[in-house]
Amino acid sequence: MVMIDQYILGGFVASLFGFVLLYNLRRKMKKNEGSKLVLKDQCIKTSNDGIHLPAVDVGRTDVIIVGAGVAGAALAYTLGKEGRRVHVIERDLTEPDRIVGELLQPGGYLKLIELGLEDCLQDIDAQRVFGYALYMDGRNTKLSYPLEKFNSDVSGRSFHNGRFVQRMREKAATLPNVRLEQGTVTSLLEEEGTIKGVQYKTRNGEEMTASAPLTIVCDGCFSNLRRSLCTPKVDVPSCFVGLVLENCDLPFANHGHVVLADPSPILFYPISSSEVRCLVDVPGQKVPSIANGEMATYLKTVVAPQIPSQLYDAFIAAIDKGNIKTMPNRSMPANPHPTPGAILMGDAFNMRHPLTGGGMTVALSDIVVIRNLLRPIHDLNDAATLSKYLESFYTLRKPVASTINTLAGALYKVFCASPDQARKEMREACFDYLSLGGIFSNGPVSLLSGLNPRPLSLVLHFFAVAVYGIGRLFLPFPTPKRIWLGARLLSVSVHQLTLY
């Protein structure tokens, strides 16, 4: 009964905070929408006496897509299937080799079905994922995706990123109106404030230009074009150290595993029928050196003792094998400058901590929004109409993107170890709250999975966790010290949620 009363109180408090937060977010959104500034750093102005380079398919291309990763390849197929003439320019068309972009949440899989790309997960040994197992201090709990209302095929999927990307590129290339070309885009071509196309180098080093009424930049987290279309504020809270464990069974089959370790989380999930990806989060921008053996020592002495015992031997074997990779984890809020003739998508536009595996879900959701916005426009050369529809994109994407982005950043903060007692209590409360099961786990997991991308639901559950933690502190009876700690816990939760 006490627990139920706490939950009701949590809902009331969360509702109050939710309305305040959403009001502030709305004010911030209006402020951002009022900014029409376009930076010129990576734009080349063209005029009667401007630059002149060889042109490709002038007047015959509807859309230029810069980049053919998950977002670019999926977008190329989607717009090509809609009848648009698409020219994709990708720096490297060989199979990518990455340690992220390997877990697609169920919400992302539903978007993949909506785009007609679900068959790209066939023949790449992709594994079904039905939820997560959470570990902390010798305890564990299983959190299943709430999939009861969906077709039996719906679940998460995990796989080798490069195989998935190549399958989507191949499918896009089957359309006669989609052209994939290897080349490096060096700048956007601007004329009287409107983006008219791109300048790029072919794989042979020849300087070329390509023109189209719409240019979509999807050139990833290292984008060299984003400064022309947004104000990037990139944060690097941590780095991932990636390993592949071979021929071992996860404690919970077909589940991702999250270990709430010290100093930060460790992830395990299958990427094929015989391989398990391990991602060790290392806070900060520097990691131990791989070359001089510091990394191997760190993994064996600091990380290995904290992982599930069933995975220990395979983990040590993966370290000894030596195929260790690292990458910085970036987060970047969407802060666009609405620019006629161009738009950003994917990691070039918006990034969040990859802990929750939400990046591909956001990108595929954005593609669905763009496809639906462009459908009524028969002629993309109608610049005024095109600009009006494209500006709606930034508003329509917010429910899904803001929910997944906020959850990723807030959960990462909660799951990291901290000497601060309030943050310790928040971490404990989160684990115990999720362990309650029922609505207490289904709600947060439906947010995490992209099945329920509602910002208000996120606010309610986040503050319910905080109130649950405060309630535990007040039992068996409140003391001044416990009341002060409870106030700090609530303050920490507000701060972590409003950061994103």
Side-chain angles (χ1 to χ4, degrees):
M1 185 67 185
V2 172
M3 182 183 71
I4 298 300
D5 290 343
Q6 291 170 2
Y7 188 70
I8 293 172
L9 177 60
F12 175 76
V13 174
S15 298
L16 179 61
F17 275 104
F19 284 118
V20 173
L21 290 172
L22 291 176
Y23 175 73
N24 287 335
L25 286 171
R26 180 61 182 165
R27 288 182 62 191
K28 183 178 179 181
M29 183 181 74
K30 286 184 175 180
K31 182 179 178 181
N32 287 341
E33 286 177 350
S35 173
K36 302 293 181 179
L37 174 67
V38 180
L39 299 183
K40 311 298 182 184
D41 293 350
Q42 279 101 4
C43 287
I44 294 180
K45 293 184 178 180
T46 59
S47 61
N48 292 334
D49 56 351
I51 63 167
H52 298 281
L53 293 171
V56 176
D57 289 337
V58 175
R60 298 181 58 191
T61 301
D62 296 313
V63 182
I64 294 169
I65 297 176
V66 181
V70 171
L75 183 63
Y77 175 76
T78 300
L79 296 184
K81 195 172 65 169
E82 294 284 302
R84 307 294 184 184
R85 293 162 296 188
V86 180
H87 182 188
V88 184
I89 306 172
E90 161 60 36
R91 182 181 59 82
D92 186 358
L93 285 173
T94 60
E95 183 173 309
D97 183 13
R98 303 185 68 203
I99 63 171
V100 293
E102 297 174 320
L103 196 152
L104 181 66
Q105 297 288 359
Y109 182 69
L110 289 172
K111 297 299 180 183
L112 205 66
I113 293 173
E114 192 172 347
L115 296 173
L117 286 164
E118 70 275 17
D119 59 331
C120 292
L121 290 170
Q122 298 174 4
D123 303 321
I124 62 170
D125 202 13
Q127 303 297 297
R128 300 188 71 182
V129 178
F130 297 108
Y132 285 89
L134 204 59
Y135 286 76
M136 188 177 74
D137 298 336
R139 299 173 290 158
N140 66 74
T141 185
K142 188 172 77 167
L143 309 172
S144 298
Y145 293 135
L147 300 172
E148 297 81 9
K149 298 180 181 179
F150 297 93
N151 184 285
S152 60
D153 183 55
V154 176
S155 66
R157 294 292 195 281
S158 53
F159 40 76
H160 282 270
N161 171 271
R163 297 175 186 175
F164 179 51
V165 169
Q166 287 300 89
R167 290 280 285 118
M168 288 200 292
R169 288 173 177 175
E170 291 165 3
K171 184 161 186 176
T174 62
L175 299 176
N177 50 322
V178 174
R179 176 190 174 202
L180 269 71
E181 180 181 8
Q182 185 161 304
T184 302
V185 175
T186 55
S187 60
L188 303 175
L189 300 178
E190 180 194 342
E191 184 178 317
E192 297 179 355
T194 299
I195 303 301
K196 295 294 187 178
V198 299
Q199 179 179 333
Y200 69 103
K201 286 185 179 180
T202 67
R203 62 187 305 174
N204 298 321
E206 185 180 1
E207 292 275 2
M208 302 285 286
T209 64
S211 300
L214 176 59
T215 299
I216 304 179
V217 177
C218 310
D219 57 344
C221 61
F222 298 104
S223 175
N224 66 328
L225 302 174
R226 64 162 66 103
R227 289 187 180 276
S228 303
L229 303 171
C230 75
T231 301
K233 295 180 181 178
V234 180
D235 182 36
V236 183
S238 67
C239 297
F240 267 158
V241 179
L243 299 158
V244 174
L245 281 55
E246 298 178 330
N247 301 312
C248 67
D249 295 324
L250 288 165
F252 295 89
N254 298 104
H255 281 68
H257 291 57
V258 183
V259 181
L260 274 58
D262 186 359
S264 53
I266 306 164
L267 309 181
F268 296 91
Y269 52 87
I271 54 173
S272 75
S273 54
S274 62
E275 297 167 302
V276 171
R277 169 67 73 194
C278 171
L279 294 174
V280 177
D281 186 84
V282 178
Q285 299 182 23
K286 293 183 179 180
V287 297
S289 170
I290 296 174
N292 65 13
E294 289 179 1
M295 178 65 78
T297 301
Y298 175 82
L299 293 173
K300 288 181 178 181
T301 59
V302 177
V303 179
Q306 302 186 72
I307 69 173
S309 58
Q310 301 97 314
L311 301 173
Y312 183 86
D313 290 341
F315 183 75
I316 297 298
I319 298 169
D320 291 338
K321 188 174 181 180
N323 188 22
I324 302 172
K325 298 181 179 180
T326 65
M327 69 158 290
N329 293 324
R330 293 173 169 82
S331 63
M332 184 184 78
N335 189 14
H337 305 141
T339 306
I343 198 167
L344 281 164
M345 290 193 69
D347 284 350
F349 175 44
N350 181 206
M351 295 180 281
R352 76 292 308 147
H353 196 285
L355 171 70
T356 56
M360 289 188 288
T361 299
V362 172
L364 294 170
S365 175
D366 284 352
I367 291 170
V368 171
V369 172
I370 281 289
R371 179 199 65 183
N372 294 342
L373 281 174
L374 294 181
R375 271 181 172 168
I377 309 175
H378 299 294
D379 182 9
L380 296 184
N381 287 290
D382 184 348
T385 301
L386 179 61
S387 293
K388 182 181 71 174
Y389 276 84
L390 289 182
E391 286 195 29
S392 302
F393 167 71
Y394 302 115
T395 301
L396 294 173
R397 71 180 296 272
K398 277 185 177 293
V400 173
S402 63
T403 301
I404 292 175
N405 293 346
T406 302
L407 183 64
L411 268 187
Y412 177 70
K413 289 290 187 183
V414 171
F415 283 176
C416 285
S418 171
D420 182 88
Q421 190 60 37
R423 287 188 58 183
K424 283 183 180 179
E425 291 292 340
M426 188 66 180
R427 193 187 198 207
E428 288 275 352
C430 186
F431 182 90
D432 290 344
Y433 181 89
L434 293 172
S435 299
L436 293 173
I439 61 171
F440 304 102
S441 62
N442 284 347
V445 173
S446 67
L447 291 164
L448 175 71
S449 63
L451 296 172
N452 178 30
R454 297 178 183 175
L456 185 57
S457 181
L458 170 61
V459 172
L460 288 170
H461 279 286
F462 205 83
F463 282 105
V465 171
V467 172
Y468 174 76
I470 294 170
R472 296 192 325 162
L473 285 172
F474 288 1
L475 297 176
F477 57 86
T479 65
K481 182 179 179 181
R482 289 173 177 266
I483 292 172
W484 171 245
L485 186 56
R488 288 196 59 240
L489 190 155
L490 186 60
S491 175
V492 165
S493 66
V494 172
H495 178 67
Q496 289 176 349
L497 193 61
T498 55
L499 273 176
Y500 304 95

